[in-house]
Amino acid sequence: MIAYAVRRLLIGIPVLIAASIFVFVIASLSGNPIDDMEARNPPVPLETRQLEAHRLGLDKPLHERYFSWLGNLILHGDFGQSTEKTLNIGDQLGDRLWVTLRLVFVAMLLAVLLAVVSGVLSAVKQYSKVDYGFTFVGFLALSIPSFWLALLLKEAGVAYNQSTGSQVFYTLGDQDYNHDSFDTWGKITDIAGHMVLPTISLTLITYAAWSRYQRSAMLEVLNSDYVRLARSKGLLRRQVMVRHALRTALIPLATITAVDIGGIFGGAVITETVFNWSGMGTYLLESVTRRDVNSLLGWLLVSGVVVILFNIVADLLYAVLDPRIRYE
């Protein structure tokens, strides 16, 4: 299993390189950040623009710029220069990745739990009121635009705070910035309080589709021969459901969870923007606005590694959920 995980990691390296080449070419051809300096009134002096172009490596051919960036990254762990002179790309990525991961991880965990519970209950009680209720909620969540749901939750939080005259829901930022005055428990509760509304938004959007996959997978397993055999042998209903049916039905959910991790990061971009979080989503938008190629490449690299790792974890979970699966 370890050898399989290592092989998957090695396979992911050329995928990341190919993706970085694509993003580098597209971002480089979409515009020159030096043009913004020339468009100012009054325009920045020519000598200053030339020095800035040299600092960013814009005076070199496209292929030399890419291989220079790749070489510095591999040999020195250097993500390159940002268009913002005071910004260190590596430090920014580290700080913002933690902000986004805590949101994504909690949202995914809650979405999986809700999808499993609602999917199993819908399958076991097929065509009942419970099934129709979960189906209605699932399709309702699927039909709601993610940005609209985030805005709706934010406005509801603001309205509730105003009606009660107290800060119950946090609607801006990922944390308060005066943590020096907080104790450890105060920091934890502050971060948790800021996560409530964004997590609800991202969880509902993610859970809706997963619950339908879980219902379909559970129905297929319940109608399989080995489940019928387990029932005919006199095993308890709960034992059949948990040890035999549910474990197998979780395999498709593990697959779709790994596949959707990229989409969840995309949803986090919208959620972080609405709630003004300083995470990977707003970092991506800021990089695009500045036409900051190196920052975009750093975002792609970190996000790509996270997606690859989640896919490897999902593949390894197959062997845990189904003993018949082994990796040689």
Side-chain angles (χ1 to χ4, degrees):
M1 188 175 294
I2 296 177
Y4 172 80
V6 172
R7 288 200 303 269
R8 285 293 307 273
L9 283 173
L10 294 177
I11 292 173
I13 293 176
V15 174
L16 287 176
I17 293 176
S20 66
I21 293 175
F22 178 78
V23 171
F24 178 80
V25 172
I26 295 298
S28 298
L29 297 179
S30 63
N32 191 330
I34 305 300
D35 294 341
D36 296 335
M37 301 175 66
E38 187 176 358
R40 294 176 186 175
N41 188 16
V44 177
L46 176 60
E47 182 180 356
T48 303
R49 298 202 303 269
Q50 291 175 342
L51 289 174
E52 183 67 8
H54 179 72
R55 184 181 71 86
L56 297 174
L58 299 177
D59 53 350
K60 298 178 181 178
L62 200 62
H63 65 281
E64 287 188 17
R65 289 167 51 194
Y66 176 77
F67 285 113
S68 176
W69 172 83
L70 185 63
N72 287 330
L73 178 65
I74 295 175
L75 297 177
H76 308 292
D78 183 8
F79 286 92
Q81 297 291 324
S82 170
T83 54
E84 293 287 338
K85 293 182 180 180
T86 59
L87 188 148
N88 184 291
I89 297 177
D91 293 342
Q92 283 284 310
L93 288 172
D95 295 339
R96 291 177 180 249
L97 179 62
W98 159 242
V99 172
T100 297
L101 279 183
R102 72 187 185 218
L103 171 63
V104 170
F105 178 78
V106 175
M108 286 184 63
L109 181 62
L110 292 175
V112 168
L113 291 175
L114 288 174
V116 170
V117 172
S118 61
V120 170
L121 289 177
S122 294
V124 172
K125 300 180 180 295
Q126 187 180 16
Y127 303 133
S128 66
K129 292 182 179 179
V130 173
D131 184 21
Y132 289 134
F134 281 124
T135 299
F136 172 78
V137 173
F139 281 113
L140 179 64
L142 280 172
S143 63
I144 296 176
S146 57
F147 69 90
W148 186 80
L149 177 60
L151 286 171
L152 185 65
L153 288 172
K154 182 178 180 179
E155 292 300 322
V158 172
Y160 186 86
N161 290 340
Q162 291 176 346
S163 64
T164 59
S166 59
Q167 184 75 29
V168 178
F169 293 104
Y170 296 89
T171 57
L172 285 177
D174 54 275
Q175 64 182 39
D176 285 334
Y177 293 96
N178 57 343
H179 268 188
D180 293 338
S181 60
F182 288 4
D183 56 12
T184 302
W185 179 247
K187 294 178 181 179
I188 294 174
T189 55
D190 177 63
I191 292 175
H194 284 83
M195 287 183 62
V196 172
L197 294 180
T199 301
I200 292 174
S201 174
L202 196 57
T203 297
L204 290 178
I205 296 168
T206 308
Y207 136 83
W210 291 358
S211 65
R212 309 314 299 165
Y213 279 103
Q214 184 61 33
R215 178 183 182 276
S216 177
M218 194 66 182
L219 282 174
E220 184 177 352
V221 172
L222 290 177
N223 294 322
S224 62
D225 293 336
Y226 76 91
V227 171
R228 292 196 185 100
L229 176 62
R231 288 176 177 173
S232 65
K233 290 171 65 176
L235 295 179
L236 296 175
R237 179 180 176 84
R238 179 179 299 178
Q239 189 176 10
V240 173
M241 289 294 175
V242 176
R243 295 188 57 184
H244 298 278
L246 181 58
R247 286 183 63 177
T248 304
L250 286 175
I251 294 178
L253 181 61
T255 302
I256 196 62
T257 301
V259 172
D260 280 355
I261 182 62
I264 296 173
F265 264 85
V269 173
I270 298 173
T271 305
E272 289 178 2
T273 302
V274 172
F275 290 97
N276 197 26
W277 274 43
S278 299
M280 294 290 285
T282 51
Y283 180 81
L284 172 64
L285 295 179
E286 291 168 2
S287 300
V288 172
T289 303
R290 297 195 308 263
R291 302 177 188 178
D292 195 339
V293 177
N294 289 336
S295 293
L296 285 173
L297 290 173
W299 179 91
L300 169 73
L301 184 66
V302 172
S303 301
V305 170
V306 171
V307 171
I308 290 172
L309 289 177
F310 267 91
N311 277 270
I312 293 175
V313 170
D315 287 347
L316 297 180
L317 279 177
Y318 295 161
V320 177
L321 297 173
D322 192 343
R324 297 171 297 176
I325 299 176
R326 288 292 181 267
Y327 298 107
E328 301 296 340

